[in-house]
Amino acid sequence: MAIRGVLFDIDGTLYAFEEAEQAGLHEHLVAEGLAERFASPAEALRLWRDLKEDEYDRFLRGEVTFTGQKAMRTRRFLAAAGVADAAALTDEAAAAWFTSYAARKNRTRLAYDDAAPALDALTGRYRLGVVSNSALAHQRTKLEAIGLLGYFTEPLICSQEHGVAKPAASIFLAGCQALGLDPVEVAYVGDNYETDAVGARDAGLQAIWLDRSAGAGADSGVPDTGIRVITSLAKLKSLPDF
């Protein structure tokens, strides 16, 4: 059956979050007088991302709120940096620290260069939507800031409001329902192989894995049956049915 709709992941697919995170964290640590507590900016970034993965997974499992995972990440990071009484920071103090970091990160947030042109090419030919493991208000604000919100059908589907996260089938199916289409009529595009590509395929959608590293010369390997691979969003138009 022909594709009539396309659902997108956001972070790492449309939004260049890793670049913004790296720049924002370094700037924040310098401003807070904490940069020299780490052997290098790369070490600080590695720790921040490790803690993010750990606490964000807890959020996705429903163990903490979206706001709560930010506070816990902040306390653990500052404790590792040797900040006195970091573990005892109040929610308000942790939130203030994280907000200052996020403001610096957000000044550098941009869409990938291939995002708007790809969406322009799809607009009017396909119904477009979003399925994201995050919170709705956060992702809507982000898409608006990088100039992409107007491309997408409302409601945007996010895990906090939906109740479960990708790769659960139900969140992909909720995205299809938002488009008014059957899963077989919908392609899903995301950069995470297991969460996005395998999850979408297993939910009955047409799975497209965006492997940007392969475009830089890395070997993405052979994908599972039912998963197509692109190295840039510009490659969407060269796929069958697009």
Side-chain angles (χ1 to χ4, degrees):
M1 186 175 292
I3 294 173
R4 298 177 58 200
V6 187
L7 293 168
F8 287 88
D9 169 58
I10 298 178
D11 296 344
T13 299
L14 300 173
Y15 165 52
F17 81 97
E18 289 190 354
E19 292 83 347
E21 184 178 58
Q22 181 174 353
L25 181 65
H26 180 65
E27 182 182 340
H28 188 53
L29 292 181
V30 170
E32 293 286 313
L34 297 174
E36 294 188 0
R37 298 198 181 204
F38 297 92
S40 66
E43 179 190 334
L45 182 64
R46 178 196 56 75
L47 174 62
W48 182 249
R49 287 180 173 170
D50 285 348
L51 294 174
K52 174 184 176 182
E53 182 175 353
D54 189 19
E55 293 298 332
Y56 206 79
D57 281 350
R58 293 183 63 219
F59 157 67
L60 294 178
R61 293 194 300 267
E63 296 173 8
V64 294
T65 65
F66 186 70
T67 300
Q69 60 87 20
K70 294 179 183 179
M72 285 303 301
R73 197 193 321 173
T74 298
R75 291 187 188 100
R76 293 177 64 186
F77 182 79
L78 293 178
V83 174
D85 299 323
L89 277 179
T90 64
D91 287 346
E92 291 77 12
W97 194 94
F98 193 98
T99 297
S100 294
Y101 150 72
R104 293 183 167 98
K105 178 190 69 172
N106 291 347
R107 284 200 293 269
T108 62
R109 62 184 176 187
L110 294 169
Y112 282 107
D113 290 343
D114 56 4
L119 293 170
D120 281 334
L122 298 175
T123 297
R125 299 168 55 211
Y126 302 92
R127 303 177 196 178
L128 304 180
V130 161
V131 171
S132 173
N133 279 354
S134 189
L136 178 58
H138 178 68
Q139 296 298 68
R140 182 182 282 123
T141 298
K142 182 186 298 177
L143 286 171
E144 185 172 25
I146 63 176
L148 302 182
L149 181 61
Y151 289 104
F152 297 107
T153 301
E154 293 280 3
L156 311 179
I157 306 301
C158 291
S159 59
Q160 176 165 284
E161 290 74 21
H162 178 69
V164 297
K166 299 178 296 183
S170 68
I171 193 169
F172 292 105
L173 299 180
C176 296
Q177 184 176 16
L179 297 183
L181 297 172
D182 292 332
V184 71
E185 299 177 289
V186 179
Y188 187 84
V189 183
D191 69 300
N192 186 291
Y193 184 75
E194 293 294 336
T195 301
D196 294 327
V198 175
R201 181 205 59 189
D202 290 351
L205 287 72
Q206 302 196 39
I208 300 172
W209 177 34
L210 174 62
D211 183 11
R212 294 185 181 278
S213 66
D219 182 7
S220 60
V222 179
D224 291 343
T225 301
I227 296 174
R228 292 182 281 183
V229 183
I230 57 174
T231 58
S232 164
L233 294 174
K235 302 290 188 181
L236 277 174
K237 61 185 179 183
S238 66
L239 292 177
D241 302 325
F242 277 88

